[in-house]
Amino acid sequence: LMIAIKNTFIVSIIATVFATILGTLFAIGLYSLSKKKRQKWMLLNNVPILNADIVTGFSLMLMFRLLMPLFPNIFGLFTLVMAHLFFTIPYVILNVMPKLKETDPNLMDAALDLGVRPAKALVKVLVPAIKAGIFSGMLLALTMSIDDFVISYFNTGAGFDNLSIWIYSVIGRRNLTPSVYAFSTLLTLFALIGLLAYQLIKNKKKGTV
């Protein structure tokens, strides 16, 4: 159980970090496109969300199997992280995009006109303006990654099981240990405490403005 919990956090944290960074960059890139092009790309972005998990998981598994002649031991941590990235990035994009629409469209141009380099303007000007969307997208990506079973089941291997796969393998053979219920309770409490702390900090900042 402890190994499964450790694997769950390893996969979820790695996938969430990369999904947050890539999703934010993709959202900024999509926002800079024209409205028609943006709508087309957003339709493509919504495919992993609207698609059935079993179809997504099976399709990714077939894709990874094509790489097995080159990388025989590909299934495991790598495939699990890549699969989680595939379905978590769209959630980050969907959370960041509305915040981008709320910002001044000339914000980046103004920063560049004042002599700030593009990379620094992105980090120092645009990212702080959309940090609420980035944070909510990160939380949603982390939640979806920890919670996922179907896609993980099709794309794991080499005995690398996360918590959901471990629970599935245990059910039917023996009863779940109390440790599983304790971990689930702690995870829920930590998530609730984190959300409440974020809301309190947000309200405090609004009160000081």
Side-chain angles (χ1 to χ4, degrees):
L1 175 59
M2 293 304 298
I3 294 173
I5 292 173
K6 180 183 176 182
N7 292 343
T8 299
F9 281 115
I10 289 173
V11 172
S12 298
I13 291 172
I14 294 174
T16 300
V17 169
F18 280 100
T20 303
I21 296 171
L22 294 175
T24 302
L25 294 175
F26 289 158
I28 294 171
L30 290 174
Y31 184 69
S32 64
L33 298 175
S34 63
K35 189 175 181 180
K36 288 185 178 180
K37 288 183 179 179
R38 191 192 312 158
Q39 288 176 345
K40 291 179 181 178
W41 281 103
M42 287 304 294
L43 285 174
L44 185 63
N45 177 73
N46 294 336
V47 170
I49 298 174
L50 299 175
N51 208 13
D53 285 350
I54 191 169
V55 175
T56 301
F58 189 72
S59 301
L60 289 171
M61 182 192 70
L62 292 178
M63 184 186 71
F64 291 135
R65 280 181 66 87
L66 294 175
L67 299 175
M68 284 190 71
L70 296 174
F71 307 99
N73 300 318
I74 190 172
F75 279 91
L77 175 61
F78 176 78
T79 53
L80 213 52
V81 169
M82 293 304 294
H84 281 224
L85 265 178
F86 181 78
F87 73 85
T88 53
I89 287 178
Y91 289 102
V92 177
I93 294 174
L94 288 177
N95 278 273
V96 173
M97 192 64 72
K99 288 297 177 182
L100 284 169
K101 292 178 180 178
E102 292 177 5
T103 60
D104 190 330
N106 300 315
L107 190 64
M108 279 291 290
D109 292 335
L112 296 175
D113 288 341
L114 291 171
V116 183
R117 293 182 179 180
K120 193 173 182 179
L122 179 67
V123 175
K124 297 289 186 179
V125 179
L126 191 57
V127 169
I130 59 173
K131 63 182 179 181
I134 296 173
F135 183 75
S136 59
M138 181 188 70
L139 281 181
L140 188 57
L142 180 63
T143 303
M144 296 300 295
S145 180
I146 291 176
D147 182 62
D148 179 71
F149 165 70
V150 177
I151 297 175
S152 299
Y153 182 77
F154 279 102
N155 292 280
T156 191
F160 192 90
D161 296 339
N162 60 13
L163 183 63
S164 59
I165 297 173
W166 184 88
I167 291 174
Y168 176 78
S169 63
V170 167
I171 292 175
R173 292 188 301 173
R174 63 181 187 272
N175 293 328
L176 291 177
T177 62
S179 304
V180 177
Y181 304 115
F183 172 75
S184 301
T185 303
L186 287 173
L187 193 62
T188 304
L189 287 174
F190 278 123
L192 186 61
I193 291 169
L195 288 172
L196 289 173
Y198 172 73
Q199 194 63 39
L200 288 172
I201 294 170
K202 188 177 178 181
N203 292 337
K204 190 176 180 180
K205 286 183 177 180
K206 284 184 178 179
T208 55
V209 175

